[in-house]
């Protein structure tokens, strides 16, 4: 690495040693630091971006806002502006100030940070007169109140979490039917860079889809999945629970809650923050997970947190500012109506009553309906004698004033955490020859009820899942009960088809043993206030149901048995099909008349969010969020959305197989400014040009270090910085076979320099028809569009893509060093394969292993750091770089997390023990792909 600089895209990489003596705000000294450590990645000229953004005009600029440069979502959403104090704090510990930033190098010397900023403050940015900033983002003024009122009939949009104020989850679209459901194909995929649970309810307006993934709010094109913007909320307080189930939109504003108790509003056009209001906090055991409801100029929302001993409420806030308007206590204050149902005044302080699911609204009457959750503590009723209003109640409020109109409590003194979770859909139906305005009410108790919204009478109550020992109270010894903690109806409610007068009801069937605590439970901030526990039955015993009911009578029409719990949204259409998904990663289309599965597609992630449908430019789409669902329900995959549509017109023309020996070779450049970090081609270093063969057995590409145990030589290749999110590699299998299709090249989706590229690739198994001819599919987009069953394996491959005729001959254990081949968009991409150890994903990430390195000149000193080269023994390639593991060791990974130690300690470093005792200058500098290819005699 004699000619390399350390550059991480979109980040300032500045390392200053503690011994660097500089005067306060010394511009000249700051310029020296810039030239030595920043200039290879960051220009000081206005409008000229390199690997990182131009630093001209940095002072005063909003972080992540420079036009023409793509920043990480973390920096984009940080809300920071680069003044001296912020800049100095950022370089002291970037990830502390901006969690998730790609900038991971700390600058320990405050004077060096101040001097660098002093120099950067002298660089003037580009004025608007010098260069146009590009077309202005069009202002969004909708959806209007009229559009929200008419959302039930809208087909081009999805305006509320459950589609419309009545929560019908029904769309009058009939392009997709039982006859052509098998022709559905994925048309695009959006994959978030944020790791979060996926319970979001997507919204669509004006051809744009809006989603929430944990702290992230994302806008994408609803036809192509192209990202419009991402906003990342930076928490200002403790987060108790990260779940978020969606946003609300109106008048160009997107409103959502946060896990640290804020209500925030974003501009729908560009994702910029308009305002934020702290209205709850972890100190009170509260957080926001529900999708708000906007009516007129009011945002109606309330916190969750009953399981943490919160005392909850619902309130209304001005859309323009977030200012509070009214508040209704779901657990009353002393002296308020309902307080007498808590015989212990002390229990009112932590009585629970969460809101965590959608509301419903009768627009004509101006009545908002709430599903209020369980009392607290969940399983220990002795501490809160009484009925415990308004927990487990349907509560009807005047939407404009918050005045209580009526309520009905379904589970007085609940001791099973049997939250009421759904108060929709609202609809009109005929019962005994008369029209009635009705509301469906359901919850985790596994029952669905139908009530008259005018008389408040109940027409029926039917079970929607297994109910055994449902009324048996918890004991210290334990009582087995169905539903369990996770049973019944969760955060996505029923769908209603007005044409057939049918309710489609998803449910979880998962039992458990309920135990109460042997004594009064204590309140501890941030800790569960359960007063007991539930030991759920083994996961393999859990399942789900989707039941079709006659909406007027509650009589079952059919029931679909799901192999996993059903927590994803169900959408009904006038085309006679239902859309939903399960925790087995499958998107499902069912016949609405029979419940038969018409189409199934493995999305690569579990489905627990809202599955929605809409039409744009004459095409009906179905959007399916997927990814890990929650700590309780589990699941797999990074947050993603897959959008489907049905192929129309004539049958697809059969593709002809390609001969890989005659196919064009993909052009590859690993050293361009888009692909390289450490190995950036410059005039001085003479790295090979675009598509020129690379001899990785020479120069900066192979390094000799020391064994962590014996200090004997080990050699490893340097394949530059790689992220921890693997790219996919698709491996094709014929149906019913357990070996890949003979002769078929695997398929990759990216080359070096393209967004999402990684040397490390996670295997996606894809099953093609038995008569499939090898190499008929040579493109990942075509493969996905074909809709074949896929399965995300845990296996990782280290397969750096390189120019044709490149060489890297060293391998352990006699493994092949020949170039391998894969398909990329109908071209053959060449790559090296490194199999020195088996490698599996951890969660959804590539595992890392530490390495300790040092340079000829310490970082922070003039011409120091990677550009000075690794310090080596005289007239020898032997460095004192020490990896923490070798192939065969537990925890070995060729993706190394680099730590830099002081070169003054170089003579004393001989193995891992001595390396770990050396003075550390920087930890976590980068993750670099360095497969070990030689271990000297007795090197272990």
């Amino acid at each position: 690495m004699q000619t390399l600089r350390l550059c991480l895209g979109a980040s300032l990489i500045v390392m200053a040693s503690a011994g660097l003596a500089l005067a306060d705000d010394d511009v000249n000294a700051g310029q020296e630091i810039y030239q030595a450590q920043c200039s290879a990645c960051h220009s000081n000229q206005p409008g000229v971006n390199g690997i990182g953004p131009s630093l001209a005009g940095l002072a005063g600029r909003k972080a992540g806002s420079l036009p023409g440069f793509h920043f990480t979502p973390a920096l984009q959403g940080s809300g920071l502006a680069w003044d001296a104090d912020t800049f100095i704090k950022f370089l002291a510990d970037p990830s502390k100030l901006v969690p998730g930033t790609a900038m991971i190098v700390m600058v320990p010397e405050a004077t060096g940070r101040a001097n660098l900023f002093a120099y950067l403050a002298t660089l003037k940015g580009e004025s608007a007169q010098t260069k146009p900033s590009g077309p202005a983002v069009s202002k969004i003024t909708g959806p209007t109140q009229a559009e929200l009122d008419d959302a039930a009939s809208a087909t081009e949009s999805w305006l509320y979490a459950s589609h419309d104020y009545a929560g019908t989850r029904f769309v009058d679209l009939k392009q997709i039917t039982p006859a052509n459901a098998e022709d559905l194909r994925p048309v695009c995929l959006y994959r978030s860079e944020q790791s979060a649970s996926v319970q979001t309810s997507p919204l669509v307006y004006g051809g744009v889809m809006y989603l929430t993934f944990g702290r992230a709010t994302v806008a994408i094109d609803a036809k192509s999945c192209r990202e419009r913007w991402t906003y990342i909320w930076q928490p200002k307080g403790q987060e108790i629970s990260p779940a978020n189930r969606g946003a609300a939109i109106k008048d160009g504003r997107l409103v959502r809650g946060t896990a640290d108790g804020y209500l925030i509003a974003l501009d729908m056009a560009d994702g910029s923050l308009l305002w934020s209001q702290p209205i709850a906090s972890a100190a009170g055991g509260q957080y926001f997970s529900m999708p708000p409801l906007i009516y007129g100029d009011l945002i109606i929302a309330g916190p969750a947190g009953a399981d943490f001993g919160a005392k909850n409420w619902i309130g209304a806030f001005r859309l323009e500012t977030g200012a509070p308007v009214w508040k209704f206590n779901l657990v009353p204050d002393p002296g308020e109506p309902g307080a007498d149902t808590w015989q212990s005044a002390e229990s009112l302080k932590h009585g629970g009553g969460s809101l965590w699911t959608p509301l419903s609204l009768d627009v004509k009457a101006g009545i908002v309906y709430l599903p209020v959750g369980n009392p607290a503590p969940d399983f220990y009723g002795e501490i809160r004698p009484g009925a415990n209003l308004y927990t487990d109640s349907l509560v009807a409020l005047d939407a404009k004033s918050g005045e209580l109109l009526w309520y009905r409590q379904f589970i007085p003194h609940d001791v099973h955490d049997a939250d009421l979770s759904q108060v929709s859909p609202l609809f009109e139906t005929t019962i005994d020859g008369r029209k009635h305005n009705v509301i469906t009410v359901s919850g985790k108790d596994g029952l669905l009820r139908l009530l008259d919204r005018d008389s408040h009478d109940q027409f029926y109550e039917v079970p929607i899942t297994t109910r055994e020992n449902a009324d048996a109270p918890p004991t210290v010894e334990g009582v087995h009960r169905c539903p369990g903690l996770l049973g019944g109806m969760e955060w996505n409610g029923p769908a209603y088809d007005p044409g057939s007068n049918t309710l489609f009801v998803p449910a979880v069937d998962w039992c458990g043993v309920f135990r109460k605590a042997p004594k009064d439970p204590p309140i501890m901030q941030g800790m569960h206030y359960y007063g007991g526990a539930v030991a759920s039955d083994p996961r393999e015993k859990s399942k789900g149901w989707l039941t079709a009911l006659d909406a007027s009578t509650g009589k079952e029409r059919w029931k679909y048995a799901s192999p996993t719990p059903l927590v994803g949204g169900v959408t009904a259409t006038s085309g006679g099909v239902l859309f939903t998904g399960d925790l087995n990663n499958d998107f499902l289309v069912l016949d609405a008349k029979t419940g038969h599965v018409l189409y199934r597609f493995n999305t690569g992630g579990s489905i627990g969010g809202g599955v929605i449908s809409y039409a744009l430019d004459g095409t009906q789409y179905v959007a399916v969020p997927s990814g890990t669902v929650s700590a309780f329900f589990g699941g797999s995959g990074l947050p993603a959305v897959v959008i489907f549509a049905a192929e129309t017109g004539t049958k697809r023309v059969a593709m002809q197989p390609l001969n890989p020996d005659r196919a064009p070779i993909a052009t590859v450049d690993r050293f361009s400014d888009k692909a390289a970090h450490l190995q950036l081609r410059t005039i001085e270093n003479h790295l090979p040009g675009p598509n020129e063969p690379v001899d990785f057995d020479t120069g900066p590409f192979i390094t000799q270090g020391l064994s962590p145990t014996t200090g004997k030589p080990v050699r490893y290749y340097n394949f530059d910085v790689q992220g921890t999110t693997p790219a996919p590699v698709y491996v094709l299998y014929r149906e019913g076979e357990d070996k890949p299709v003979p002769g078929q090249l695997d398929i990759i989706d990216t080359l070096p320099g393209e967004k999402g590229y990684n040397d490390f690739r996670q295997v996606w198994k894809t099953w093609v028809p038995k008569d499939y001819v090898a190499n008929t599919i040579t493109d990942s987009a075509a493969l996905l569009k074909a809709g074949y069953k896929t399965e995300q394996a845990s296996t990782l491959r280290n397969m750096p893509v390189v120019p044709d005729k490149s060489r890297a001959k060293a391998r352990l254990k006699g493994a092949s060093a020949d170039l391998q081949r894969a398909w990329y968009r109908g071209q053959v991409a060449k790559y090296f394969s490194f199999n020195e150890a088996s490698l599996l994903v951890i969660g959804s990430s590539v595992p890392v292993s530490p390495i300790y390195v040092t340079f000829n000149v310490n970082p922070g000193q003039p011409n120091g750091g990677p550009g000075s080269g690794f310090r080596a023994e005289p007239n020898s390639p032997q460095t004192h770089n020490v990896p923490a593991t070798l192939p065969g060791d537990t925890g070995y990974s060729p993706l190394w997390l680099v730590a830099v130690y002081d070169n003054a300690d170089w003579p004393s470093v001989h193995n891992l023990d001595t390396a770990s005792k050396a003075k550390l200058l920087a930890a976590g500098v980068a993750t670099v792909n360095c497969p070990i290819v030689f271990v000297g005699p007795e090197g272990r």
Side-chain angles (χ1 to χ4, degrees):
M1 292 179 65
Q2 307 305 313
T3 62
L4 307 182
R5 285 186 181 272
L6 181 61
C7 304
L8 289 178
S11 305
L12 294 170
I13 306 301
V14 182
M15 302 170 65
S17 70
L20 193 62
L22 296 171
D24 290 346
D25 297 345
D26 188 324
V27 172
N28 291 331
Q31 184 174 12
E32 291 180 3
I33 295 176
Y34 165 78
Q35 291 292 345
Q37 302 300 334
C38 308
S39 60
C41 300
H42 300 273
S43 163
N44 61 2
Q45 300 300 310
V48 181
N49 293 317
I51 295 174
S54 169
L55 300 185
L58 176 81
R61 189 163 73 207
K62 181 182 176 182
S65 67
L66 185 64
F69 191 85
H70 181 75
F71 290 86
T72 61
L75 203 58
Q76 280 181 313
S78 66
L80 301 177
W82 294 123
D83 55 27
D85 183 61
T86 301
F87 182 84
I88 291 170
K89 287 180 180 178
F90 180 71
L91 289 182
D93 191 347
S95 60
K96 181 178 181 180
L97 191 63
V98 184
T101 180
M103 168 62 179
I104 53 177
V105 176
M106 291 179 280
V107 180
E109 171 53 43
T111 302
R113 300 194 297 270
N115 292 338
L116 179 60
F117 185 80
Y119 166 67
L120 297 179
T122 68
L123 304 178
K124 301 301 181 184
E126 196 168 31
S127 66
Q129 291 76 22
T130 303
K131 183 179 179 181
S133 60
V137 177
S138 299
K139 183 176 177 60
I140 297 174
T141 58
T144 64
Q145 187 59 54
E147 288 175 307
L148 287 167
D149 291 347
D150 295 335
S153 60
T155 57
E156 76 288 349
S157 56
W158 189 286
L159 299 182
Y160 183 57
S162 47
H163 184 257
D164 49 74
Y165 283 145
T168 62
R169 300 197 65 88
F170 173 84
V171 186
D172 187 13
L173 290 172
K174 54 187 68 175
Q175 192 176 94
I176 302 170
T177 68
N180 68 358
E182 65 179 3
D183 294 329
L184 277 169
R185 298 292 183 267
V187 297
C188 65
L189 165 69
Y190 171 81
R191 184 167 52 203
S192 174
E193 298 176 15
Q194 306 298 313
S195 179
S197 62
V198 181
Q199 300 176 23
T200 187
S201 296
L203 305 177
V204 174
Y205 180 73
V208 179
M209 183 180 298
Y210 301 92
L211 307 123
T212 60
F213 297 127
R215 298 172 183 170
T217 308
V218 181
I220 65 173
D221 188 287
K223 293 191 299 183
S224 69
C225 298
R226 297 293 182 187
E227 182 179 315
R228 296 290 186 91
W229 54 258
T230 294
Y231 173 82
I232 310 295
W233 170 254
Q234 299 302 326
K236 297 173 171 54
Q238 182 185 354
E239 297 174 303
I240 295 179
S241 174
N244 190 277
R245 301 187 177 98
I249 53 175
K250 185 177 185 289
D251 297 344
R253 291 171 168 81
L254 179 149
V255 179
R256 59 162 291 181
T258 72
D260 59 339
Y262 277 71
L263 197 63
I264 65 173
L266 306 178
D267 189 316
M268 289 171 60
D270 60 13
S272 58
L273 180 68
L274 300 174
W275 53 257
S276 62
Q277 290 283 2
I279 55 178
S281 73
Q286 295 172 326
Y287 59 95
F288 276 94
S289 62
M290 68 167 287
L293 183 147
I294 304 177
Y295 177 54
D297 66 343
L298 298 180
I299 304 160
I300 302 175
D307 297 343
F308 297 88
K311 179 184 182 297
N312 284 326
W313 47 265
I314 188 168
F317 306 85
R318 293 291 179 204
L319 178 59
E320 186 73 24
T321 62
V325 178
W326 58 255
K327 181 179 180 181
F328 178 82
N329 288 319
L330 301 177
V331 173
D333 285 340
E336 288 184 340
D340 58 350
T341 66
W342 300 76
Q343 296 175 21
S344 165
E346 188 67 21
S347 66
L348 283 171
K349 297 178 182 179
H350 303 284
S354 289
L355 292 173
W356 53 286
T357 55
L359 311 177
S360 62
L361 175 72
D362 183 331
V363 177
K364 291 182 180 179
I367 299 174
V368 62
Y369 296 96
L370 330 176
V372 186
N374 62 279
D378 299 42
F379 313 117
Y380 197 88
E382 290 87 341
I383 209 170
R384 48 174 174 83
N388 307 143
L389 285 177
Y390 295 91
T391 64
D392 294 311
S393 298
L394 159 65
V395 174
L397 303 178
D398 184 293
K400 293 185 177 179
S401 68
E403 176 188 355
L404 176 65
L405 301 178
W406 64 277
Y407 72 90
R408 179 160 181 161
Q409 188 178 43
F410 293 92
I411 312 174
H413 194 71
D414 173 21
V415 289
H416 297 108
D417 189 11
D419 301 65
L420 200 67
S421 59
Q422 302 294 330
V423 287
S424 66
L426 314 180
F427 56 98
E428 181 185 79
T429 192
T430 299
I431 301 175
D432 296 331
R434 293 179 53 197
K435 294 282 188 182
H436 294 270
N437 296 314
V438 296
I439 180 172
T440 54
V441 181
S442 50
K444 288 171 57 181
D445 62 348
L447 294 170
L448 180 137
R449 301 98 170 164
L450 189 77
L451 276 70
D452 190 303
R453 301 202 309 271
D454 300 319
S455 69
H456 314 156
D457 293 334
Q458 180 171 300
F459 294 110
Y460 60 76
E461 177 182 88
V462 295
I464 55 175
T465 189
T466 302
R467 283 174 50 86
E468 296 176 357
N469 281 339
D471 297 322
T475 64
V476 175
E477 295 77 19
V479 172
H480 191 267
R481 175 187 184 268
C482 304
L485 178 67
L486 307 177
M489 177 74 69
E490 290 287 336
W491 54 87
N492 281 303
Y496 172 68
D497 180 353
S500 63
N501 193 39
T502 306
L503 285 166
F504 302 100
V505 187
V508 177
D509 196 340
W510 198 348
C511 309
V513 175
F514 286 71
R515 293 183 175 89
K516 73 172 183 178
K519 60 181 181 179
D520 292 0
I523 281 282
M524 293 182 287
Q525 183 176 330
M527 302 293 287
H528 281 121
Y529 186 48
Y530 279 149
V534 178
S536 295
D537 287 354
R539 189 175 297 272
E540 55 268 23
K541 290 188 176 182
S542 67
K543 54 184 180 290
W545 302 103
L546 179 57
T547 308
L549 302 173
D550 182 304
S552 297
T553 65
K555 183 179 179 180
E556 181 181 313
R557 290 179 170 169
W558 55 257
K559 178 178 283 190
Y560 165 73
S562 169
T564 76
L566 286 180
V567 293
V570 176
T571 291
T573 73
S574 55
V577 293
L578 305 175
F579 304 121
T580 189
D582 61 26
L583 300 186
N584 200 34
N585 300 359
D586 284 341
F587 163 55
L588 302 170
V589 183
L590 290 85
D591 188 316
K593 289 185 178 179
T594 66
H596 293 157
V597 174
L598 304 169
Y599 178 76
R600 184 188 304 268
F601 184 91
N602 187 321
T603 63
S606 305
I607 299 169
V611 179
I612 69 170
S613 187
Y614 52 92
L616 295 171
D617 299 329
T619 298
Q620 182 180 357
Y621 296 94
V622 186
V624 185
S626 69
T628 300
V629 175
S630 71
F632 286 120
F633 282 101
S636 63
L638 286 170
V641 176
V642 185
I643 296 180
F644 295 81
E647 291 189 337
T648 58
T650 59
K651 271 187 163 279
R652 288 169 287 153
V653 177
M655 294 179 287
Q656 296 298 317
L658 291 182
N659 184 341
D661 295 331
R662 298 179 181 176
I665 306 298
T667 298
V668 176
D669 185 1
R670 292 186 67 92
F671 310 128
S672 71
D673 57 359
K674 292 183 178 179
H677 298 283
L678 297 173
Q679 298 170 350
L680 175 66
R681 182 172 48 248
T682 66
I683 295 175
E684 294 81 13
N685 63 27
H686 305 295
L687 290 177
N691 215 36
E692 290 183 3
V694 183
D695 186 351
F696 287 93
D697 293 317
T698 63
F701 305 114
I702 190 161
T703 301
Q704 185 162 302
L706 299 173
S707 165
T709 53
T710 67
K712 298 292 185 179
V714 297
R715 292 195 198 106
Y716 56 87
Y717 285 116
N718 304 304
F719 283 108
D720 211 330
V721 172
Q722 304 295 324
T724 57
T725 300
V729 56
Y730 299 96
V731 183
L732 276 56
Y733 295 75
R734 291 192 179 101
E735 291 176 351
E737 298 182 5
D738 58 2
K739 293 182 179 180
V741 175
Q744 168 75 42
L745 302 188
D746 298 336
I747 301 172
I748 63 175
D749 63 344
T750 49
L751 296 179
E754 296 178 347
K755 184 177 180 181
Y757 175 82
N758 198 317
D759 286 350
F760 294 92
R761 293 184 175 271
Q762 186 171 4
V763 171
W764 287 63
K765 294 182 177 180
T766 304
W767 279 268
V768 294
K770 292 182 179 180
D771 59 355
Y772 172 81
V773 178
N775 299 313
T776 299
I777 299 179
T778 61
D779 173 65
S780 62
L783 181 66
L784 292 174
K785 188 175 181 180
Y788 299 128
K789 178 184 176 182
T790 62
E791 178 183 303
Q792 193 174 19
S794 59
T795 305
L796 284 170
R797 293 182 181 175
N798 187 2
M799 43 189 299
V801 176
V802 297
D804 189 23
K805 299 181 182 178
S806 295
R807 53 177 283 165
K809 293 297 185 181
R811 295 292 189 281
L812 280 180
K813 302 176 182 178
S816 173
D818 294 339
L819 278 173
Q820 308 297 311
R821 301 187 297 178
W823 286 118
Y824 167 79
R825 300 184 183 179
Q827 303 174 19
V828 171
K830 300 293 185 75
Y831 67 91
F832 292 125
S833 180
F834 292 93
N835 305 301
E836 70 274 17
S838 59
L839 200 60
L840 303 175
V841 292
I842 296 179
S844 55
S845 299
V846 182
V848 298
S849 182
I851 185 173
Y852 295 85
V853 306
T854 193
F855 303 106
N856 286 309
V857 181
N858 276 339
Q861 297 178 358
N863 301 313
S868 67
F870 291 132
R871 184 169 178 182
E873 296 177 4
N875 302 314
S876 170
Q878 183 67 60
T879 71
H880 288 192
N881 297 350
V882 184
T885 56
L886 296 177
D889 292 347
T890 301
Y892 170 76
S893 171
L895 186 61
W896 289 356
L897 186 64
V898 178
V900 181
Y901 67 87
D902 192 333
N903 62 15
D905 292 325
W906 178 87
S908 64
V909 172
H910 302 292
N911 52 29
L912 182 60
D913 180 61
T914 52
S916 62
K917 294 176 181 177
K919 180 181 178 182
L920 196 63
L921 299 180
V925 170
T927 49
V928 184
N929 181 14
C930 297
I932 289 177
V933 293
F934 172 81
V935 178
E938 301 178 0
R940 305 193 67 81

